[in-house]
Amino acid sequence: MPKMERRWRSATVPAASWVRRAATVLATSLALSAALTGQGVAQPPTGPDTATAARTADSCPSVGGRWAEDGPFAVTKERAGLSHTILRPAELGSRGCAKHPVIIWGNGSFVTPVIHDGLLKHLASHGFIVVAAHTTQSGSGAAMLDGLDVLKKAEADPRSPYYGKVDLDKVGASGHSQGGGGAINAGADPRVDVTVPVEPGPQGRISDLKGPMFILGGEHDPVVIPELLVVPRYKSAGHVPAVYGELAGASHVTPAGDGGGFRGPVTAWFRYFLMGDREARAEFFDTCAACTSPAWSDFRRNAKAVSHED
């Protein structure tokens, strides 16, 4: 199996310097929230490239490997009381998807789901039901997991558009910064199948994860420094298939908005593990297209990922 392991430099960062950097990046993140307030329905792309004759293993539409492009579903966004925002296909149970897998999302410190509105809509356009916790302190993972209870109640209500349309047996957890730490904590729950911590905070114990992990860092992230705070956590995941990707040129705010260069790989990971998409599998396993992609400044797979089987 092809495998690329780039060297990473050691570094030490004084605590005071780390705090200053964190404060600067946090201020930038908060400023972005005013601009990222898209609402309503995102329409799917049109034209010949939207043909859906090819299907994934669970009959949801194939996207022909175009993970970074919007998927075939129009998207609606709605509030679930005061606790969560849900982004989902506008017509649940359509286009061959009888039920839709779930992604629970955790925000970074002091921000709300709107900061990642574009990314969450993108995931919903690929057929996922995304439930984002309305908390600025998501590190425990508890508010994220509460989203599963919200969906379980809706799915059981014959009057609800979710009735019979939610696949609670296929659940992924993701989040950014503190929310990435929250995703690790949520991944200890047996209801969560896979995790994607994005530039994660220190919350959660990798050893408690129950399923595969795709942990992401940013090459130029001054807050969650990859070689100090992300790579060691990847290395500690020897008990589950684990993949580490360090996005070239990425900073701590790159995941804001539409997710930047993280958007496509995150989508591919969830499409494989939650939808059985065979083309998405090849991004990480078998031929491992991502292993040699110049999009990554560092890309690694542990022994369980290299030998991963369905």
Side-chain angles (χ1 to χ4, degrees):
M1 298 280 182
K3 183 179 181 182
M4 179 176 70
E5 296 245 2
R6 295 180 183 266
R7 293 184 178 273
W8 47 278
R9 60 193 180 279
S10 62
T12 58
V13 180
S17 177
W18 189 93
V19 171
R20 286 194 298 271
R21 291 180 182 185
T24 299
V25 174
L26 175 60
T28 304
S29 298
L30 292 170
L32 283 172
S33 64
L36 301 172
T37 55
Q39 301 287 328
V41 175
Q43 297 299 323
T46 57
D49 288 342
T50 62
T52 58
R55 303 284 174 173
T56 60
D58 72 347
S59 296
C60 285
S62 168
V63 295
R66 297 185 292 274
W67 326 119
E69 297 179 22
D70 284 346
F73 292 90
V75 172
T76 192
K77 175 181 175 180
E78 56 199 8
R79 292 289 294 267
L82 298 176
S83 62
H84 294 79
T85 289
I86 298 175
L87 299 98
R88 62 169 176 85
E91 186 179 354
L92 292 170
S94 65
R95 295 181 173 266
C97 284
K99 288 190 172 186
H100 299 267
V102 176
I103 298 172
I104 56 176
W105 174 264
N107 313 299
S109 301
F110 309 115
V111 299
T112 59
V114 71
I115 199 78
H116 297 285
D117 203 60
L119 173 60
L120 304 185
K121 284 181 178 176
H122 173 80
L123 291 169
S125 79
H126 280 264
F128 300 102
I129 297 173
V130 184
V131 55
H134 266 276
T135 176
T136 62
Q137 302 293 320
S138 57
S140 72
M144 298 170 65
L145 291 168
D146 286 345
L148 296 180
D149 296 327
V150 169
L151 289 177
K152 184 177 181 179
K153 182 177 180 181
E155 198 270 344
D157 182 355
R159 300 166 299 176
S160 167
Y162 296 90
Y163 182 63
K165 303 295 196 304
V166 185
D167 194 344
L168 288 168
D169 290 326
K170 295 180 181 177
V171 176
S174 186
H176 176 239
S177 197
Q178 184 181 159
I184 294 171
N185 264 324
D189 190 291
R191 293 174 293 176
V192 175
D193 300 290
V194 294
T195 58
V196 183
V198 183
E199 300 176 332
Q203 299 83 3
R205 296 186 302 183
I206 297 293
S207 60
D208 290 340
L209 290 177
K210 301 294 193 295
M213 174 184 70
F214 183 26
I215 190 166
L216 294 165
E219 183 183 19
H220 300 312
D221 186 344
V223 177
V224 181
I225 300 170
E227 57 265 41
L228 295 181
L229 302 172
V230 189
V231 171
R233 307 193 84 185
Y234 155 75
K235 287 185 172 182
S236 70
H239 65 298
V240 295
V243 176
Y244 169 65
E246 181 182 291
L247 187 64
S251 72
H252 197 64
V253 297
T254 297
D258 67 4
F262 291 110
R263 179 177 68 249
V266 170
T267 303
W269 183 265
F270 283 134
R271 283 194 64 99
Y272 168 55
F273 278 105
L274 301 182
M275 288 183 172
D277 191 317
R278 305 305 300 180
E279 288 180 283
R281 173 187 168 89
E283 289 292 315
F284 308 99
F285 309 106
D286 305 329
T287 55
C288 188
C291 286
T292 54
S293 170
W296 305 106
S297 50
D298 193 350
F299 193 90
R300 313 181 189 199
R301 301 180 298 163
N302 71 2
K304 284 190 176 291
V306 170
S307 61
H308 173 72
E309 297 180 0
D310 290 330

